[in-house]
Amino acid sequence: MPIINNNDGTLSVEFGTGDIKISSGMMGDEEQGLITFKEQEPKPIGYFEKQKEKQVDLTTYPVHLIFKNTDSLDVLIERLERTRKYMTRELDVWND
């Protein structure tokens, strides 16, 4: 199961097997950016499927990332890029 409710009240989302649907969009009269995650039957990683409905029921997506401004989105992008560099050994996590 890729989305896990841990016993300590935290939530883990495990990526890498194609069984998490990642969707993006806008909410709040297009004032806030939105990325959602939910479990799906495994598909090729990066598989893109156009959303059929203009609006979706967010209760069907257990994880939401909501961005009130592009600065907060830029920080997430930077952290993801840094994590990629750790994983490819371009940066050393202990000496960075």
Side-chain angles (χ1 to χ4, degrees), residues 21 40 43 47-52:
K21 179 179 183 178
Q40 67 178 5
K43 293 184 166 66
Y47 175 82
F48 180 78
E49 183 175 60
K50 181 87 171 146
Q51 185 70 35
K52 294 176 183 82

Side-chain angles (χ1 to χ4, degrees), residues 34-48:
L34 174 69
I35 299 174
T36 59
F37 303 88
K38 79 175 185 177
E39 294 178 22
Q40 67 178 5
E41 288 298 314
K43 293 184 166 66
I45 293 174
Y47 175 82
F48 180 78

